[in-house]
Amino acid sequence: LEHFGVDQKGFIDVVLTKAELGQMAAITTSAAIKLFNEFQKDGIIIIEAKKIKIVDMKRLYKSAGIHYKAFSFEEGKLY
């Protein structure tokens, strides 16, 4: 988020295709689509007009196997 920022509605301020997001995460486009659909169904993210809003950062981190408290957005570092 630090690299892109968020818009006035809290959506990440960058428009990327699911293929580009998959490439960034080193997964296939179909895996990225499935993952984003699951995150949206589970209420972790909202996708609107090709923009993403993270509504439950703690669950997003948990799904990645990262302790939420171990990460500081202000410093952008894992502790």
Side-chain angles (χ1 to χ4, degrees), residues 13-73:
D13 199 19
V14 66
V15 177
L16 298 169
T17 66
K18 288 180 179 159
E20 291 168 325
L21 290 168
Q23 289 173 349
M24 291 173 72
I27 59 176
T28 64
T29 301
S30 61
I33 291 167
K34 182 179 177 183
L35 191 60
F36 281 98
N37 287 339
E38 288 177 19
F39 286 162
Q40 190 166 17
K41 183 182 114 194
D42 292 343
I44 296 172
I45 64 171
I46 296 171
I47 300 173
E48 184 178 290
K50 295 189 178 185
K51 286 195 168 188
I52 299 170
K53 180 178 184 177
I54 301 169
V55 293
D56 193 336
M57 188 65 74
K58 186 173 185 176
R59 286 179 53 209
L60 182 63
Y61 272 66
K62 185 177 179 182
S63 72
I66 300 171
H67 283 284
Y68 180 71
K69 291 181 180 179
F71 188 83
S72 168
F73 278 106

